[in-house]
Amino acid sequence: MDEKKIRDAVKMIIEAIGEDPDREGLIETPDRIARMYKEIFVGINENPSEHLKKTFTVESDGIILEKDIQFYSMCEHHFVPFYGKVHIAYIANGKVAGLSKLARTVEVFAKRPQLQERMCLQIAESIMEYLGALGVMVVIEAEHMCMTMRGVKKPGSRTVTTVVRGCFEKDSKLKDEVYRMIKV
């Protein structure tokens, strides 16, 4: 990540909105934003396979659900945050990931300029690919600051996206069970 370019760009934005980048309260802002971007966009160079390669053998064929995984991401359209929770349900095919690895997979995709719909799909496809799951269902509930602080200004509105793959696509009872378990 080119922190100098970020600092220079932020200084230009400060000037462009009619502020003084040398004013006491703003003088360190370009540096703070550069450090923040390095942190919140760390997922750009990460691969979910790193987190999902450590697995454990199981003989279970039941639903595994990790719910209420909190996340923060940045909308790629306005570069303002969206945040909420992710629910991941899957049916193992002989191997499971550690529960923290599911949360880390969410972070890989949340820590990029992102769209909620794409993030939902990326998480589901990673579970299918790297765990070889029989099926996966990912549900994301999020509040988007581009909806609440600008534009239409509707605080409290939430966007819910789902992606289903494998056995969840074919079995509506399985899907309904996941919805019941997460109580969407």
Side-chain angles (χ1 to χ4, degrees):
M1 190 165 297
D2 191 334
E3 290 182 63
K4 182 186 180 317
K5 274 188 177 178
I6 296 169
R7 285 191 299 272
D8 292 346
V10 170
K11 187 174 180 180
M12 287 174 58
I13 290 170
I14 292 169
E15 290 170 345
I17 65 169
E19 265 286 1
D20 177 5
D22 295 320
R23 184 168 62 79
E24 180 184 16
L26 294 173
I27 199 159
E28 294 178 25
T29 298
D31 188 52
R32 282 191 290 269
I33 291 176
R35 288 192 318 267
M36 176 187 70
Y37 277 12
K38 189 174 182 180
E39 177 184 341
I40 65 175
F41 293 127
V42 71
I44 290 172
N45 297 311
E46 288 188 14
N47 187 319
S49 67
E50 289 303 309
H51 303 295
L52 295 172
K53 67 182 176 185
K54 176 67 176 165
T55 60
F56 305 96
T57 303
V58 295
E59 295 180 22
S60 171
D61 63 354
I63 296 171
I64 299 159
L65 172 65
E66 179 75 12
K67 68 181 205 170
D68 296 331
I69 303 168
Q70 296 291 318
F71 77 92
Y72 298 88
S73 192
M74 292 289 272
C75 167
E76 69 182 35
H77 293 150
H78 300 98
F79 260 49
V80 293
F82 69 98
Y83 56 91
K85 51 191 170 181
V86 177
H87 315 288
I88 302 171
Y90 71 101
I91 307 273
N93 190 11
K95 59 184 180 175
V96 296
L99 296 177
S100 69
K101 304 308 183 196
L102 298 178
R104 291 187 192 282
T105 299
V106 169
E107 287 298 297
V108 165
F109 296 115
K111 299 292 185 183
R112 302 173 176 188
Q114 192 57 278
L115 296 174
Q116 180 175 332
E117 298 86 347
R118 180 187 312 118
M119 188 171 109
C120 198
L121 180 63
Q122 290 170 326
I123 294 166
E125 288 179 345
S126 293
I127 301 296
M128 290 297 286
E129 179 179 351
Y130 299 116
L131 294 184
L134 297 174
V136 67
M137 188 166 164
V138 177
V139 179
I140 300 178
E141 303 173 65
E143 186 166 337
H144 293 250
M145 296 304 289
C146 60
M147 285 275 297
T148 63
M149 69 180 281
R150 57 154 305 279
V152 72
K153 296 182 182 118
K154 296 297 178 199
S157 63
R158 292 182 314 160
T159 301
V160 179
T161 54
T162 63
V163 171
V164 293
R165 294 288 183 265
C167 59
F168 287 100
E169 289 177 289
K170 300 171 183 96
D171 189 338
S172 61
K173 288 182 182 177
L174 272 178
K175 231 185 322 194
D176 290 345
E177 178 65 10
V178 172
Y179 283 130
R180 187 190 64 71
M181 291 168 73
I182 62 177
K183 295 180 180 158
V184 170

